[in-house]
Amino acid sequence: MSHNNLSRVHTLTFDIFGTVLDLAGSIRPPLDTFLTDLGATVKGDGFWAEWRLRQRLEQHQDTILMLGHRGYLDSAGRALAYCLRKHGIGFQQAEVESFMRVFEELRPYEDAVKGMKRLAEHYRLVALSNGNAWLVEHLVENNIRAAFDSVISVDQVGRFKPHPSVYRYASQHLGCEPPQIMMVAAHSFDILGARACGYRGAFVNRYGLPYESSTLQPDLVVSDFIELAEHLSDIRK
């Protein structure tokens, strides 16, 4: 993709959980303590990876089955309870609900904060998140502290990303044509969903993962937000 084809972009929409916020770095230490307190022998990367995969499944099931949007924290809590049962770990629901408050303490990646500060000089920055509206607003204001112009939660749509309605709603809400928006995410599904709706896409491959095999390729592939800011700032000069 040439710079000319990205010159129309003036708004950047950011995935928050895992792209801007360091989920593993923020949650793994208290998760290990939580599992130990429950008397579990399993811990570490394996349980965390299972939990994250199960949460994605919970979210996709909610969207596909159309049984009502229960929200990010609800899906994460259900996924955690499922993984605990899978490993035969006894727990009380109140213990899971109490632990879920860890999401209010999530910390951003340092490169994300630095990169967005530079990008804010040239672009409108928008949080476009699967998170509960109140949680995303709390994290943006108190933990990330970046210069977001707007915060959009899928709660406003009732479907999780990558459902097309999320990206179409965001475009209408922001008063933009899709090619004027670039979705920034550290996972393929968000880029795929946005590109299918006409957005441009930037894949921040901070986890060293392959992109999905698809014709809907990202316009940019970068390792972190510093590199992203270097590429995009050059276009806006």
Side-chain angles (χ1 to χ4, degrees), residues 19-21 108-117 146 206 225-226:
T19 299
V20 174
L21 292 169
Y109 285 105
E110 184 177 349
D111 67 273
V113 176
K114 290 181 178 179
M116 286 190 292
K117 183 177 181 180
R206 60 168 75 255
F225 276 62
I226 304 302

Side-chain angles (χ1 to χ4, degrees), residues 200-232:
R200 309 320 315 180
F203 179 41
V204 182
N205 192 13
R206 60 168 75 255
Y207 303 113
L209 297 174
Y211 190 79
E212 300 283 351
S213 177
S214 170
T215 56
L216 298 170
Q217 292 294 305
D219 300 289
L220 293 175
V221 179
V222 296
S223 60
D224 58 27
F225 276 62
I226 304 302
E227 188 178 353
L228 177 69
E230 290 173 355
H231 278 283
L232 294 182

